[in-house]
Amino acid sequence: MNTQVLTRRPHFRDKNFIPPLENGDHLTQQEFHRRYEAMPENVKAELINGVVYMSSPVRVKNHGKPHSLVMSCFGVYFLSTKGVMLLDNTTLIVSDKHEPQPDVILRIEEKNGGRSKVNDKDYLEGAPELIVEIASSTASYDLYDKLEMYQQKGVQEYIVWRVLDGRIDWFSLEGGTYQRLTTNKLGIVESKVFPGLRLNIKALLNDEMDVVLSDLQIGLRSKKHREFVRKLAK
């Protein structure tokens, strides 16, 4: 009896097979994006300088709570400032080597003169005006590879909350280099890009949100914030 031997082509040779992302992979932005779109929705990955970084599970104190507090503050500013957009964990296509997914983005909309745009596939491209990342400590790549990338690509303000260190670093792009903004005697830092956005860093770190929001309201009632809103509306 004749026996026909059937062979099956290995899946990794299938032209339709999309390899999964692996931590440390070296990929172009286009290949990273192709693989990322095929991954499960609960997976978070970033491409920084051509290297894939896969996120660890998110803890409450080290990430979840600080992230929610930042979103609460920026949400109040966003709702009071027509012409800006607030984004949470949104893919940002920066270049052929960089595709981060920042924790928080605050941007001026392109129709109002912003530096980033939403492309035809609903992803953000370019250099949004302000980015926030929640990091564990100074050892995080948020203060090294990401900082260098955001600086090089022209993100005007960059905030890193170092949870384990109990510090919030607020950087402003001055002459192409990030300079750390200092707090005033009340512990407040004011944005140079978004007039009226002022955060009481000391109160935020101490979980005193009533103080944080009260100080933010002072900024939102200021003349410079009203002028900024009028400028965006032109």
Side-chain angles (χ1 to χ4, degrees), residues 113-127:
R115 299 159 58 88
S116 57
K117 67 176 184 178
V118 180
N119 66 22
D120 57 2
K121 293 185 177 180
D122 202 33
Y123 293 112
L124 192 63
E125 293 182 357

Side-chain angles (χ1 to χ4, degrees), residues 54-74:
M54 306 291 291
S55 295
S56 302
V58 176
R59 298 180 183 274
V60 174
K61 293 182 179 179
N62 287 1
H63 196 283
K65 184 178 180 180
H67 182 103
S68 69
L69 295 181
V70 171
M71 286 297 295
S72 297
C73 298
F74 280 66

Side-chain angles (χ1 to χ4, degrees), residues 88-168:
D88 177 18
N89 272 307
T90 301
T91 290
L92 173 63
I93 299 174
V94 178
S95 70
D96 59 354
K97 289 186 177 182
H98 301 292
E99 188 177 311
Q101 190 171 321
D103 290 318
V104 182
I105 294 174
L106 187 66
R107 60 182 290 264
I108 298 173
E109 295 192 52
E110 52 265 51
K111 64 182 179 181
N112 300 103
R115 299 159 58 88
S116 57
K117 67 176 184 178
V118 180
N119 66 22
D120 57 2
K121 293 185 177 180
D122 202 33
Y123 293 112
L124 192 63
E125 293 182 357
E129 284 71 26
L130 190 152
I131 286 177
V132 184
E133 298 282 10
I134 309 299
S136 293
S137 68
T138 53
S140 170
Y141 71 128
D142 294 299
L143 278 166
Y144 292 91
D145 297 338
K146 277 190 178 180
L147 184 146
E148 183 178 342
M149 171 191 62
Y150 292 145
Q151 176 178 267
Q152 181 183 9
K153 298 304 177 181
V155 174
Q156 292 174 279
E157 292 190 331
Y158 181 42
I159 301 172
V160 182
W161 185 337
R162 295 186 278 127
V163 181
L164 296 181
D165 298 331
R167 291 287 302 272
I168 295 177

Side-chain angles (χ1 to χ4, degrees), residues 182-189 198 200 202:
T182 57
T183 60
N184 63 19
K185 61 182 180 180
L186 298 176
I188 294 172
V189 176
R198 62 200 308 265
N200 189 320
K202 181 179 179 181

